[in-house]
Amino acid sequence: LGSAQKMGKATACKERPTTKLAKRKGPKRSGSKVRAVRMLMEEVAGFSPYEKRIIELLKVGRDKRALRFAKRRMGTHLRAKKKREALGDALRRARVAKK
């Protein structure tokens, strides 16, 4: 096989989407029905063991440690930050509900 410019079958370049598929997906872009089902599942099933551990770390004021733990479990820094904020909000709501 040759490697010159005019060798082989001529093909057209494939058009690529402007944004990655992963950027177009996600909870913010989900429909209201999906959001409602996810909220219901959280209420019914409660928190998973790793989420409970993050909540415990937040209770004792170890925010940075909670972020590091979440990052290990979730895979990315951004996902871990979102999870820590969500669990922190849940903890605040629980405190308000007790009063």
Side-chain angles (χ1 to χ4, degrees):
L1 288 173
S3 61
Q5 278 187 331
K6 304 205 185 241
M7 301 288 279
K9 185 173 181 349
T11 58
C13 289
K14 207 175 185 183
E15 285 188 37
R16 295 191 176 113
T18 55
T19 58
K20 287 186 177 182
L21 184 62
K23 297 286 183 193
R24 287 187 271 159
K25 293 170 72 176
K28 288 183 183 174
R29 292 160 198 84
S30 299
S32 58
K33 192 183 262 189
V34 172
R35 227 175 289 132
V37 169
R38 284 183 183 160
M39 286 176 59
L40 181 68
M41 286 303 297
E42 282 179 16
E43 286 179 31
V44 172
F47 296 111
S48 64
Y50 86 93
E51 290 174 333
K52 289 178 185 173
R53 183 164 173 197
I54 293 170
I55 289 172
E56 285 299 316
L57 288 167
L58 292 172
K59 278 183 187 176
V60 296
R62 308 265 327 255
D63 294 357
K64 190 172 181 180
R65 189 71 176 156
L67 180 64
R68 285 179 64 194
F69 180 75
K71 188 178 171 190
R72 289 282 177 144
R73 297 297 161 129
M74 313 262 332
T76 67
H77 185 71
L78 196 61
R79 285 179 186 172
K81 281 179 19 181
K82 286 180 185 176
K83 179 61 77 173
R84 182 181 63 172
E85 284 301 312
L87 294 175
D89 291 342
L91 186 62
R92 281 187 282 282
R93 281 194 306 255
R95 285 181 181 157
V96 169
K98 278 186 178 180
K99 289 181 181 178

